Amino acid sequence: MKFLVKLVGISMILVAIYNVWVVIDVPPAYKVLANSTVDSNSIVTAGVDSGKGNLLGIQPVLQPIHYANKVTLRENLRSYLKAAKLRGYLNPKTVVVFPEYIGSWLVAMEQKSSVYEKADLTDAMTAVITANLFKFAVAYFSSPDDVTEKDKYAAFAMKAKQIADAYNEIFSELASEFKVTIVAGSVVLPEPSINEMGKLKISRGKLYNTSAVYSPEGKLQSPLVKKIFPINDEAGFTASGDPTQVPVFNTPSGKLAVLVCADSWYPTAYAKLGTDIKMIAVPSLGAVDSVWNAPWNGYNGFKAPDDVDTTDYKKITEGEAWQKYSMGPRANNVDIPFGLNVFFTGNMWGKKAEGRVLVLDKNDLSVLPATTNSGRIVNLWLH
């Protein structure tokens, strides 16, 4: 009995020491980091203001330290919106589009300073998991049976409530402050839904790569858009969204469709959009130049649609395939005249994302070059 009491006492001391160690050297809430500034060379605009609204792509250059806490991330994103406002690009009919996975890196929020200084993603995530060991273990052993990459699943699921709350708060506040519609990139969450209070809710279960849309009043809009066609790198820990979902939103500038990255390559994802869609937003993660300019290996994760010329495999580049088979031509096929495909950019623990932007202006599709060291604002006036 004495041994058991002693063991419990030692365990409690160890847990207390662990809990203290976890919060030591957590960085403070920074306001705005220097590399979030936007100059005139980082702003691209197309068309003229005819009073019909605009699509505005915000492509912040992001690094691990931006995810130290929700204040740091919010204020850095806010700096881009302030720059856009100063140039007259924000109005009640503006639809702002952020990149895919912009919310998912919140898994690293409120960790030790050393986490944000790691050069390697594996080292950084190991440190994050070590600081959340009990939560990780619970998520790992309660993961759905069909999850093949349980470690990745648990890494996202272990802090899901914290991530969901921060993500919802950040983008709700920004939409409300600047009085614009925001397509909040995407975030990976377990069984996300909207609760009776209009807040983002999560439940235990499968992970979905999910995009949320916020109204100019800061309200989370229904539905949540869940990626239907996860690529191979996602398939081991995220599930496919319902192909019958209708990701269409009424905005002050007209009907908006939202598709997450690879979904823009499949006719099935466009089938439920209906008619009179004015614009489409596609948040994407992106690819480095070595991939974008390399021979295209074909569809990733799912069978190519019937209208795809598979002889293009290895014949055209990845970039040329994006222009031939994704948002541009497919949106035009269903009479959507305007669109922005906004890619993530920055350096997340050695994983560089070279952000491009695809701009659809009726029958004209243009591709902006990659950017890695500076953020960018892309404005498309609707007409």
Side-chain angles (χ1 to χ4, degrees):
M1 186 64 177
K2 288 183 179 180
F3 173 77
L4 183 59
V5 171
K6 184 180 291 186
L7 182 62
V8 170
I10 292 172
S11 298
M12 291 177 66
I13 291 171
L14 290 175
V15 169
I17 292 172
Y18 173 81
N19 288 335
V20 171
W21 171 80
V22 164
V23 299
I24 290 175
D25 194 32
V26 173
Y30 295 96
K31 284 297 181 182
V32 180
L33 301 182
N35 64 4
S36 69
T37 56
V38 181
D39 58 36
S40 57
N41 295 324
S42 303
I43 297 174
V44 179
T45 189
V48 295
D49 183 3
S50 61
K52 295 183 178 180
N54 56 316
L55 277 170
L56 188 77
I58 300 291
Q59 198 173 46
V61 58
L62 291 166
Q63 299 177 16
I65 191 60
H66 290 102
Y67 289 90
N69 48 66
K70 63 186 178 185
V71 174
T72 303
L73 180 60
R74 183 193 65 209
E75 291 305 305
N76 276 274
L77 301 183
R78 186 172 180 268
S79 69
Y80 288 89
L81 289 165
K82 284 179 64 178
K85 184 176 181 178
L86 285 172
R87 289 160 178 82
Y89 295 150
L90 298 188
N91 63 75
K93 293 184 177 181
T94 300
V95 175
V96 177
V97 186
F98 284 96
E100 184 183 21
Y101 278 100
I102 196 167
S104 298
W105 296 109
L106 286 165
V107 69
M109 68 186 296
E110 297 176 358
Q111 301 300 309
K112 290 176 173 293
S113 296
S114 59
V115 168
Y116 311 107
E117 298 165 0
K118 302 284 187 187
D120 180 77
L121 177 59
T122 301
D123 291 344
M125 289 311 301
T126 298
V128 171
I129 290 168
T130 301
N132 296 272
L133 202 53
F134 301 120
K135 291 180 180 179
F136 177 83
V138 170
Y140 185 95
F141 290 108
S142 63
S143 61
D145 293 338
D146 58 351
V147 170
T148 58
E149 296 184 78
K150 294 183 181 297
D151 53 344
K152 290 183 180 179
Y153 172 93
F156 283 107
M158 67 183 182
K159 296 175 69 176
K161 178 66 166 60
Q162 187 180 10
I163 293 169
D165 289 347
Y167 174 86
N168 188 73
E169 183 178 321
I170 288 168
F171 289 104
S172 175
E173 288 181 1
L174 292 175
S176 177
E177 177 184 353
F178 292 96
K179 302 295 186 292
V180 294
T181 300
I182 289 183
V183 180
S186 80
V187 60
V188 173
L189 294 171
E191 302 292 347
S193 61
I194 302 174
N195 67 17
E196 61 278 2
M197 301 296 292
K199 300 290 182 66
L200 193 55
K201 173 186 174 183
I202 57 100
S203 301
R204 184 172 295 179
K206 295 180 178 180
L207 290 177
Y208 294 90
N209 187 356
T210 305
S211 184
V213 176
Y214 293 85
S215 75
E217 297 75 38
K219 294 181 179 179
L220 178 57
Q221 302 296 286
S222 181
L224 296 175
V225 184
K226 299 175 182 177
K227 191 172 185 177
I228 303 169
F229 297 99
I231 63 173
N232 290 332
D233 286 346
E234 301 169 304
F237 64 98
T238 65
S240 296
D242 185 351
T244 66
Q245 65 183 316
V246 184
V248 175
F249 304 84
N250 291 314
T251 78
S253 54
K255 287 185 179 179
L256 163 73
V258 177
L259 298 179
V260 181
C261 198
D263 288 0
S264 66
W265 290 63
Y266 295 86
T268 303
Y270 295 82
K272 297 292 181 179
L273 298 183
T275 58
D276 300 321
I277 306 297
K278 184 68 174 290
M279 58 203 141
I280 186 168
V282 181
S284 288
L285 183 60
V288 296
D289 266 353
S290 58
V291 174
W292 185 264
N293 296 319
W296 179 44
N297 291 320
Y299 271 66
N300 185 338
F302 290 82
K303 181 179 178 294
D306 292 338
D307 63 352
V308 172
D309 181 2
T310 55
T311 64
D312 278 341
Y313 292 6
K314 303 293 186 181
K315 185 187 300 182
I316 64 176
T317 66
E318 177 84 10
E320 289 169 336
W322 274 92
Q323 295 170 69
K324 186 172 182 178
Y325 293 115
S326 70
M327 176 196 71
R330 295 202 181 281
N332 275 166
N333 288 343
V334 293
D335 298 321
I336 301 176
F338 303 104
L340 280 185
N341 187 173
V342 181
F343 291 72
F344 193 99
T345 192
N347 186 345
M348 301 301 293
W349 294 288
K351 296 293 184 181
K352 294 182 179 179
E354 296 175 351
R356 290 171 177 78
V357 178
L358 275 62
V359 182
L360 176 64
D361 187 351
K362 294 196 171 177
N363 294 319
D364 181 27
L365 179 69
S366 56
V367 182
L368 302 184
T371 178
T372 53
N373 298 319
S374 62
R376 181 161 52 190
I377 294 172
V378 180
N379 179 56
L380 172 62
W381 293 113
L382 306 178
H383 52 91

